[in-house]
Amino acid sequence: QVQLVESGGGLVQDGGSLRLSCAGSGRTLSNYRAGWFRQAPGKDREFVAYINWSGGSTSYADSVKDRFTISRDNAKNTVYLQMNSLKPEDTAVYYCAAGVPGNLRVGSDYRYWGQGTQVTVSS
């Protein structure tokens, strides 16, 4: 069992930056691949970014590519999402997930989820 806790969300202006953290406890997070997903009001949850066990392989949604960077520090049992050049359409609750997904872009393939952190980008 892995418990995930996100932090780092908040209110930021258009063009600003935030760094989200996802801290794992219980079983070591380094045993799992990890992803970030987000859900805006009235919309389905969507894939944002993925990182493999070592951090050597990443993948991004087209909407965030070149603006967001996913990384991990296995010594700290933490996964990060650096978000730059934020836009109002990035406003959502952001969730960290961990597991061994068959399809890294499918949320239901991840076993463990955090409670989410709100990101609001004002125009």
Side-chain angles (χ1 to χ4, degrees):
Q1 187 80 5
V2 176
Q3 291 78 43
L4 303 174
V5 178
E6 302 97 335
S7 61
L11 174 64
V12 64
Q13 290 188 331
D14 191 354
S17 298
L18 283 174
R19 188 176 82 153
L20 306 183
S21 298
C22 172
S25 62
R27 298 187 69 178
T28 179
L29 190 55
S30 63
N31 289 339
Y32 301 97
R33 303 172 185 174
W36 287 94
F37 291 77
R38 67 186 182 186
Q39 187 167 21
K43 295 187 176 181
D44 293 334
R45 182 178 61 193
E46 65 174 353
F47 167 78
V48 175
Y50 158 87
I51 191 165
N52 73 341
W53 292 281
S54 67
S57 177
T58 58
S59 181
Y60 298 92
D62 288 344
S63 59
V64 307
K65 198 173 296 182
D66 300 326
R67 299 189 297 123
F68 290 10
T69 302
I70 189 171
S71 62
R72 69 190 303 162
D73 185 338
N74 287 336
K76 294 183 177 180
N77 227 24
T78 301
V79 176
Y80 304 97
L81 184 68
Q82 177 67 44
M83 306 186 294
N84 298 329
S85 302
L86 282 161
K87 306 175 182 180
E89 51 263 44
D90 293 319
T91 295
V93 177
Y94 283 71
Y95 297 91
C96 174
V100 188
N103 185 327
L104 58 89
R105 293 175 180 249
V106 175
S108 58
D109 277 17
Y110 290 78
R111 182 171 183 181
Y112 303 108
W113 288 84
Q115 83 290 347
T117 185
Q118 176 71 47
V119 171
T120 303
V121 185
S122 63
S123 57

